[in-house]
Amino acid sequence: MVREGTIIWEDLKGMVNDPVYSEMLGKRILLSGATGFVGYYLVESLVKAAKEHKKEIKIFAIVRNRQKGIEKYKEFYQEGYIDFIEQDICAPIKCDEPVDYVIHMASNAAPKEYLAMPAETMLINFLGTKNMLEYARKVQIQKFLFVSTIEVYGSGHGEEAIKEADYGTIDALNVRSCYPMSKKASETLAISYQEEYGIPVVVGRLSYLYGPGMGANDSKVVAQFTRDAVAGKDIVLKSKGAQRRTYCYISDAVRGMLHVLVHGETGNAYNITNGMCITTISEMAQCIAELEKDSGIQVRYEIPSESEKKRFSLIDDAVMDTEKIESIGF
């Protein structure tokens, strides 16, 4: 449980004021990825909303280790807000419970993991989505949310903000493409299940995220830069860092997901981001260094090794358009 007075506690207080949470109360939710960075904020905020309004909510979380899930959400488990289904997401879902919503987030989500396990990354994304959709075929659900990524847009967009119907280039023969290609294919699989089996599907494409709760070993640049700055180390860029990116704070991203789930039109994808939060990687590094200027840290540029180059995102500029998600109240 989140301690009172922490940044996450303050985030949660603000999140549950969003009216979308009132529409989640009394619902039963099957959730994959519950113990990850995004999943943690989602579970904590849903249960906080239920407690504040003295309403029921039930989350069935698919986890690889049930005991670790219980330890992470011990109080919620004891109070009956959450239960755990221990299994590999690549296997058929072992849940007999009826639910209102399915939220599928489970995925390798760090560049270091993509390079170490590219085949597993693709299988987790595609087979995991297939198994969650197969479960949804067996029960009567209100909506299926597939959580996707900005990386499905590929490269080659220039300075224009990327709308949901815009697509660039993804090199299928570059092993780093294992993540965006399998996410993109999973989106099509989800829409195909809607067309063939009538499952009401929406897709939420997350931009680059940041905020408290990122893992100590998270290999995304915003996490690396922050860790180094707090430790008093120089921030080292392995490129010019000229790529423009749209970022989104974690609590806003979770609210955006719920808006897509509740208010999104089936068969549609929605960009989930903060249209005001646009920066280059180099500018972000300089900003973080400025916050720790008393430590004397600097931003340095080094030539990357060949193994480091393989982890680089294949996207150049990636600024998301927000008009569509704003049209549904976010």
Side-chain angles (χ1 to χ4, degrees), residues 67-95:
Q67 191 55 44
K68 286 184 178 180
I70 292 173
E71 291 171 3
K72 191 175 187 74
Y73 299 112
K74 185 176 181 181
E75 182 176 319
F76 298 165
Y77 173 71
Q78 292 173 339
E79 294 171 337
Y81 289 107
I82 191 168
D83 203 352
F84 300 93
I85 302 163
E86 184 178 74
Q87 69 160 92
D88 185 341
I89 196 70
C90 292
I93 305 303
K94 299 182 293 188
C95 180

Side-chain angles (χ1 to χ4, degrees), residues 125-138:
N125 283 341
F126 197 75
L127 293 181
T129 304
K130 177 254 186 185
N131 290 325
M132 294 291 277
L133 288 163
E134 280 293 324
Y135 164 81
R137 283 184 64 190
K138 301 174 185 177

Side-chain angles (χ1 to χ4, degrees), residues 164-165 265 267-271 321-329:
E164 284 79 357
E265 183 180 349
N268 278 255
Y270 294 83
N271 290 337
D321 184 90
T322 58
E323 182 179 0
K324 190 172 181 180
I325 195 168
E326 287 173 8
S327 74
I328 61 171

